[in-house]
Amino acid sequence: MAVNEHTPLIKNQPDLLSLPLLCKAFGWRRITLISAHFHALQGFGLDSFKAAALLLYTSYGVHAADMQMFIAIGLIPWSLKPMLGLGSDVLPICGY
């Protein structure tokens, strides 16, 4: 079979089969470290942001309702991230 621009270089693999392939290629320790690092940053980063924001707003004497509004505004980019990602996949800008 000849390879041309329409031939995929890698066949689509189900997600369950890609983990053993990654572990074989890079080692299970590296894959575990990368996964743990990614998930830790996601969880701890958001919790740290909320805790720091509450302490900062309390030290400035901001009322609780205003604190919640400011924190909600600060979290808007994370809330829109899935929609923006889907939109950029469906309607690429300048081919990207």
Side-chain angles (χ1 to χ4, degrees), residues 20-36:
L21 292 175
L22 284 173
C23 289
K24 184 178 179 182
F26 298 106
W28 68 269
R29 289 181 180 167
R30 182 173 292 161
I31 298 301
T32 303
L33 178 69
I34 291 171
S35 298

Side-chain angles (χ1 to χ4, degrees), residues 12-76:
N12 292 334
Q13 296 285 334
D15 289 338
L16 295 175
L17 296 177
S18 62
L19 184 59
L21 292 175
L22 284 173
C23 289
K24 184 178 179 182
F26 298 106
W28 68 269
R29 289 181 180 167
R30 182 173 292 161
I31 298 301
T32 303
L33 178 69
I34 291 171
S35 298
H37 180 73
F38 176 75
H39 291 295
L41 285 178
Q42 290 281 331
F44 293 133
L46 185 58
D47 291 340
S48 300
F49 167 75
K50 287 180 183 178
L54 289 175
L55 289 172
L56 180 69
Y57 293 142
T58 303
S59 69
Y60 284 144
V62 177
H63 295 291
D66 293 334
M67 277 190 223
Q68 291 299 317
M69 182 182 64
F70 294 146
I71 290 173
I73 290 170
L75 293 176
I76 286 175

Side-chain angles (χ1 to χ4, degrees), residues 80-96:
L80 294 177
K81 189 176 177 181
M83 290 183 284
L84 292 174
L86 184 62
S88 69
D89 288 345
V90 172
L91 302 168
I93 300 171
C94 298
Y96 296 104

